[in-house]
Amino acid sequence: MSSSKPVRTRFAPSPTGSLHIGGLRTALFNWLYARHSGGQFILRIEDTDQKRYDPDALRILMESLTWAGLDWDEGPDKDGPYGPYVQSERLALYQEWADWLVTNGHAYRSYETPAELEASRKAREAQGLPPGYDRGHRELTAAQIAAYEAEGRPTVVRLKMPLTGEMHLPDALRGTVTFDAGQLQDTVLLKSDGFPTYHLAHVIDDHFMEISYVMRAVEWLPSFPIHWQLWQSFGWEAPAYVHLPVMLNPNGKGKMSKRNPPRDAHGRLIPVLVHDYIAAGYLPEAVDNFLANIGWNFGGDREVFSMAEAIERFDLTRINEANSAFPPDKLDWLNGVYLREMPADELALKLRAPIEREGWTASDEELRQIAPLVQPRIKTLNDVVEMAGFFFREPFIPAGDEQFAAKGLTPAQAAALLDKARAALEAVPGWTHEALEAAMRELAEAEGLKVKDLFNPLRSAVTGQLVSPPLFESMAIIGRQASLARLAATSARLAGNEAS
């Protein structure tokens, strides 16, 4: 199934919290298809669930989409000919068309009280019947309706679904999908508070906003018959429905959930919300590339591509209908690729945020010097904290004895070696990484040591770490005074430990 209308896709999140990473993937697919087709991508806010409404969620949703580069053509902050784009501002339209459905025999008003519904539920359970509404008010007489109205009972509007037979519905990705009408419910369309349910609101909005493709998660497939019945009842041309595969936990069991956060093969928690990925130091380009790879195939076995390239190729035939496990290691790898390809000056600007979150300060010049050193070694922006924190951490934390013991050195031997290195370094006239390395290679030869047997203890003394960016480039950035002070402090601590 495809649509004969101009391509207009939409992303319609509920403002009930931060955007789920799976929601971002759904938005990405809609955006890619709209851009590929020269159509429009619309942001619509479905805020009819007032109990779960979060006043901060709209801002967070829009921040997440903007971070990912998914610009919309019409939305709450970008007016268009089909607004408003927030459902709570469209209530009169839903009520009008709910009344139309009742008047024309496609829906009915249901007057049961909560207590009556609960009694019905228990009766069905006792009879071994499946749960759900028993259609008790589907065929009320005019007299019964008048009596309930006279009581002032709250009412809901329910859709009249077929009672028997099968429904054969078209899905642009999955082909014809068949449902047993006897298993379907007369679902609520309009609640007693005057707010519509998702079922009614999205059909009316998609019609009046001229949406031509509804691309949403396959979790909505069981509700597809309700929505199709609404399109048929209204007599409107339905958009093409595309039920996208969902992202599963890395083990392939169950979808990713913020209530039960998944873990990777190393036991680490995997972020579920988009803002967590932002805070974790992932790049939007990498996240977009990663999400596009889950459930869609660029072709030619390519895994790294820009969104401009994806737009050129994005079509529905390349979407895989099967659900896919979320591969966190692949995202780390992709993010590393994008970090390494980034201009060093641009990376320097991005490193400021994780450094300042630690309470450290760094000058622009320091960041420009450090960026090319860490660039080949980090997978996320936040890795700079562990890799290069020794540049900024005050007071400096010297390496423990275990780092030198791992190199086969007692505290006294390590202290003596560092004293010799410090004396040689004090004599170096120009504090450049070339001059520093030359001096230490000369010392290693004079002492009859392999280069690594000097460089590794020196690294631990200057950085406090076993692993760091290139040693002598790091020392050049730290500077003569601070580097020599760190060597002296580490040596003194080692000598003191030996004496005690």
Side-chain angles (χ1 to χ4, degrees), residues 300-375:
D301 295 327
R302 272 189 65 185
E303 293 190 278
V304 182
F305 46 83
S306 68
M307 286 303 98
E309 292 174 307
I311 286 170
E312 287 185 18
R313 293 200 180 199
F314 195 89
D315 62 50
L316 305 183
T317 62
R318 292 180 181 269
I319 299 176
N320 186 340
E321 67 180 73
N323 297 334
S324 303
F326 187 94
D329 290 341
K330 183 64 67 65
L331 175 57
D332 287 343
W333 170 77
L334 262 176
N335 207 64
V337 170
Y338 279 88
L339 284 170
R340 289 190 291 276
E341 293 179 350
M342 181 179 293
D345 283 352
E346 183 180 344
L347 175 59
L349 296 175
K350 294 182 180 296
L351 293 178
R352 179 175 296 283
I355 288 170
E356 290 185 345
R357 276 200 298 269
E358 295 295 318
W360 302 330
T361 57
S363 68
D364 292 343
E365 180 58 29
E366 285 175 315
L367 293 174
R368 280 194 293 269
Q369 290 177 310
I370 291 167
L373 302 187
V374 301
Q375 191 164 20

Side-chain angles (χ1 to χ4, degrees), residues 6 24 50 63 114 118 142 146 150 159 162 219 314 350 376 379 454:
L24 181 60
Q50 292 293 290
E63 284 177 357
E118 177 62 16
L159 177 65
E219 296 162 296
F314 195 89
K350 294 182 180 296
K379 293 181 179 179
L454 175 59

Side-chain angles (χ1 to χ4, degrees), residues 14-19 53-63:
S14 298
T16 56
S18 295
L19 181 61
Y53 176 75
D54 179 349
D56 292 326
L58 178 57
R59 172 185 57 79
I60 295 171
L61 285 165
M62 295 172 74
E63 284 177 357

